[in-house]
Each structure stands twice: as structure tokens, then as C-alpha cells.
Amino acid sequence: MRDGYSDALGNLVDQLAKLPGIGRKSAQRLAFHILKQPDKEARLLADAIVEAKEKIRYCKLCYNLTDQELCPICSNPDRDSSTICVVEDARDVLALERANQFHGLYHVLHGAISPMDGIGPEQLKIKELLQRLQEHPAEEVIIATNTSIEGEATAMYLSNLLKPLGIRVTRIAQGLPVGGDIQYADEVTLARAFEGRWEI
Amino acid sequence: MRDGYSDALGNLVDQLAKLPGIGRKSAQRLAFHILKQPDKEARLLADAIVEAKEKIRYCKLCYNLTDQELCPICSNPDRDSSTICVVEDARDVLALERANQFHGLYHVLHGAISPMDGIGPEQLKIKELLQRLQEHPAEEVIIATNTSIEGEATAMYLSNLLKPLGIRVTRIAQGLPVGGDIQYADEVTLARAFEGRWEI
């Protein structure tokens, strides 16, 4: 018994508290909720965790998460395979798909170059990108890494790597977010918004 | 595929999003975290859910949650069995145990009287309390239901029920929380704080 919990309850709270953004209080609330639910509901959650871990793997082309050999985007013949959008994380694919603006294929790096955290180009899916471009040449690579220092460094690195191969390399635009207030925008964003200004 | 997820991932997100206080964005974040972890970690979480559901039941004396027949408090011979503290929820027991002020036994009602939600005395562990008091007479019952309307109604109901049995019935004090600011306290709390004032 820990914290006045029985062992099985304490263990559930411990496991839930390991999840990101879930403190002990939230873990406790979730655990009590799970205990109050019908057995079937709790079993559905436990099974979903195990099944996802068992089935989900990387798409062998773009390294997005999928339960097939190729992810639904790479295996969709309607997508434009001449354009590849490079992102840091599989969640970025979801966000960009929601924007419904891009109809090419993706490439997920699974991180960004960050010497401080010991992450160099070899830890990312960069050689896989080069290999992919050799096998399936593309006309344009759009670099949609985050606009953080690490994302920018990664964009620069990729650009230096890909341009000599004769591929058009572009970077997503930076500026004021839609609905953004100039008076609340930070200076760097404002500077970028000026740099990237276009004729109306 | 939903929302651009593969099925197994979409199902995991759906199941996580059913938890209280977890929206779709958080569920997505948790799901990706689970997928990034080693298989062993995810299995620990899934097993903890199933094991807790299988093992946890009500203490047959106080209706606290436990994985034994009697909860660790009821089975502790050092606890004072002449005083019973009545609470609404098993989490209240944990909170009161942390305060380390009460050394008697508990009784968990599993709710409070709330006609609006269709919860009457018969839905709570009240007849179990009466039966318990017949088998194990107590000198004092401290009513530590919440200070909400439902908690107060439950306290009143219990008090009317138990006093005729010759049991001393008390209610936890209401007033300003420790560290509380008078200027930010609500009127009802302030009124209670005045009512309950004591000689210093």
C-alpha cells in the first residue's frame, strides 16, 4: 500500500502518471474513473494500447506511422509524388492534412538536428530521404520543420544537401498567424513577416 | 482510417479521449507518447488497467476501494473503531489520510443525495452504514461530506437518522481555507467562518 492506495490501484496511478502532462492528481482522477467504468470499457482501453503498439510501425517510404507496409498517404495513387513535404514528427502530418493544402507525399524525420540534445543528422531519417529521392526522384522538397532553432538548422542542413542534387527546395512561409495581433506578435515573427511580404 | 490516422492509432486515440479531462488533442499526444515508448512500458500500462479492474473491489466494511476483503484501514488494529468518518468518495479517504488528523475508520457513501440527478439515500451506502453501526457500535460519526448543497443535504439526512440511535454526530468545520484571503473569500464561506468562530 502506497499513499493509502491498494497495490493494484497504486500501480495503475503510477503507470498513468508516467504519461506526459499527467501529474499524480490527474493520474488518480483517471484511475478512479477507470475503476468506475464497466469492465468492458477498461478492457477496450487496455486492448487499444496493446494493439496499437503491436500493429503500428513506420511506413517504409515516408516513416509516418501506419498499420500497413505503406501509410494511407503513400499508397494513395491520387497524391502527387513529385512533391515531398519534410516534417519533424508524425503529428505534423496530421496537422498539415487537416489544413488540406498539400496533396503531395510526406517524409517524417522523427526529430530535428539538436547538438545540445546530442541529435545529429544521422539520428534522423535523412539518409532514408536521400535514398528515397534516388529511387523515386521528386521535383520539389518542401521543408516544413518547425520554426524553432532546431527546425531552422535542420531546414538549412537539408537545403545544403538537396540543392546540389538539382531538386527545388522550398521552406514554408513564416509570418503573422491568421487572426494574429501585430501588437502581441514577437519581434522575430514581425521581422519574418516583413521579409516575406508579397505584392497584393 | 479516421482523421488521417491508421485504424489502430485512431482506436487508441478514441479510447484515450473517453477519459475525463482528456480532449482529442491530449489523447493524440498521449497516443503518440505510448507509441514512442518501449513495448514493455505500454504493456505495463495496459496490464495495470486490467489488473486494477480485476482486483479492486469494495471493502466489505467501509466500501473504500481495496484489493483485499477488508481495506488496509479497516484491517489495521491500531485504528480507533469507535469513530467513523463518513465521506462521499474513496478519493476523500486519501485526502483525509494525507491530512493525518483522523485515526478512526471511514465509511464511503459513493455519492451524495441529489434529487436533481435522481440520487436518493437508497443509491448510497447508507443502509450499509446503519447495518454496520448495529454490528459494530460507534461512539461518534463525523460527517465529512462535501460542503456543496448535496453534501449538506446528505449530512442533514444522516444526522436525522443517526442521532435517534444515541450516536454522537458531528460535522467537519467550515470556514476560510488556511492561507485564504478574506477579500477573495465568498460570502457564504465568510458567514460560516463567523458562525464557527472560537475563543483564542
Side-chain angles (χ1 to χ4, degrees):
Chain A
M1 185 173 137
R2 287 157 292 190
D3 287 0
Y5 294 125
S6 67
D7 279 347
L9 178 54
N11 183 35
L12 179 55
V13 172
D14 288 349
Q15 294 300 332
L16 289 168
K18 283 187 196 168
L19 295 172
I22 309 280
R24 283 204 73 80
K25 279 252 170 177
S26 303
Q28 194 180 304
R29 190 164 45 84
L30 294 178
F32 278 86
H33 172 87
I34 288 170
L35 288 174
K36 273 190 182 166
Q37 284 184 312
D39 273 7
K40 196 174 137 275
E41 279 296 307
R43 177 66 75 166
L44 282 175
L45 173 58
D47 288 349
I49 292 167
V50 172
E51 195 198 334
K53 279 302 282 186
E54 277 172 359
K55 289 200 178 166
I56 304 277
R57 49 186 162 161
Y58 291 150
C59 168
K60 68 169 190 167
L61 198 60
C62 77
Y63 296 88
N64 190 3
L65 297 172
T66 177
D67 49 11
Q68 308 291 324
E69 196 168 352
L70 284 179
C71 76
I73 296 169
C74 285
S75 59
N76 181 348
D78 295 338
R79 307 284 305 213
D80 168 18
S81 64
S82 71
T83 318
I84 293 177
C85 176
V86 177
V87 295
E88 292 183 23
D89 195 277
R91 273 170 289 185
D92 301 336
V93 174
L94 294 177
L96 290 168
E97 283 297 286
R98 277 196 296 272
N100 201 20
Q101 179 69 33
F102 175 69
H103 305 290
L105 303 180
Y106 292 93
H107 192 88
V108 183
L109 296 176
H110 290 277
I113 296 171
S114 174
M116 296 274 280
D117 303 311
I119 300 175
E122 61 288 348
Q123 266 92 51
L124 307 176
K125 303 291 180 194
I126 289 178
K127 66 176 184 300
E128 288 83 354
L129 174 62
L130 292 175
Q131 175 133 23
R132 175 180 176 183
L133 287 168
Q134 272 183 342
E135 290 167 17
H136 310 275
E139 285 165 24
E140 180 179 354
V141 169
I142 303 171
I143 304 180
T145 52
N146 293 335
T147 55
S148 59
I149 292 172
E150 294 79 15
E152 290 294 346
T154 310
M156 201 54 71
Y157 180 89
L158 283 176
S159 156
N160 291 337
L161 209 63
L162 299 175
K163 270 186 175 166
L165 305 177
I167 301 168
R168 184 177 174 217
V169 181
T170 56
R171 180 86 173 100
I172 50 161
Q174 295 182 30
L176 218 57
V178 174
D181 244 338
I182 288 181
Q183 59 176 316
Y184 297 127
D186 64 286
E187 312 86 282
V188 187
T189 298
L190 283 179
R192 293 284 163 83
F194 267 87
E195 274 170 23
R197 69 191 180 278
W198 46 286
E199 302 276 344
I200 51 170
Chain B
M1 183 171 138
R2 286 158 292 190
D3 287 0
Y5 294 124
S6 66
D7 280 346
L9 178 54
N11 183 37
L12 179 55
V13 173
D14 287 350
Q15 294 301 331
L16 289 168
K18 283 188 196 167
L19 295 172
I22 308 281
R24 284 205 74 78
K25 279 253 170 176
S26 302
Q28 194 180 305
R29 190 164 44 86
L30 294 178
F32 278 87
H33 172 86
I34 288 170
L35 289 173
K36 273 189 183 164
Q37 283 183 311
D39 274 7
K40 195 171 136 279
E41 280 295 308
R43 177 66 75 167
L44 282 175
L45 173 58
D47 288 349
I49 291 167
V50 172
E51 196 199 333
K53 280 301 282 186
E54 278 171 0
K55 290 201 179 164
I56 303 278
R57 49 185 163 160
Y58 292 150
C59 169
K60 69 169 187 166
L61 198 61
C62 77
Y63 295 88
N64 191 3
L65 298 172
T66 177
D67 48 11
Q68 308 292 323
E69 198 169 350
L70 284 179
C71 78
I73 296 169
C74 286
S75 59
N76 182 348
D78 295 338
R79 305 287 303 214
D80 168 17
S81 64
S82 71
T83 318
I84 293 178
C85 176
V86 177
V87 296
E88 292 183 23
D89 196 276
R91 274 169 290 186
D92 301 335
V93 174
L94 294 178
L96 290 169
E97 284 297 287
R98 277 195 296 272
N100 202 20
Q101 180 67 34
F102 174 70
H103 304 290
L105 302 181
Y106 292 94
H107 192 87
V108 183
L109 296 176
H110 290 279
I113 295 171
S114 174
M116 296 275 281
D117 303 313
I119 300 175
E122 60 287 349
Q123 266 92 55
L124 308 175
K125 302 291 180 196
I126 289 179
K127 65 175 184 300
E128 289 82 354
L129 174 62
L130 292 177
Q131 174 132 25
R132 175 181 175 183
L133 287 168
Q134 272 183 342
E135 290 167 17
H136 310 275
E139 286 165 25
E140 181 179 354
V141 169
I142 303 172
I143 304 181
T145 53
N146 292 336
T147 55
S148 60
I149 292 172
E150 293 79 15
E152 290 295 347
T154 309
M156 202 53 73
Y157 180 88
L158 284 176
S159 156
N160 291 336
L161 209 62
L162 299 177
K163 270 185 176 167
L165 305 177
I167 301 168
R168 184 177 174 218
V169 181
T170 56
R171 180 88 173 100
I172 49 161
Q174 295 181 31
L176 218 58
V178 174
D181 245 337
I182 288 182
Q183 59 176 315
Y184 297 127
D186 64 284
E187 311 87 281
V188 187
T189 298
L190 283 179
R192 293 285 162 82
F194 267 88
E195 275 170 22
R197 69 191 180 276
W198 46 286
E199 301 279 344
I200 52 170

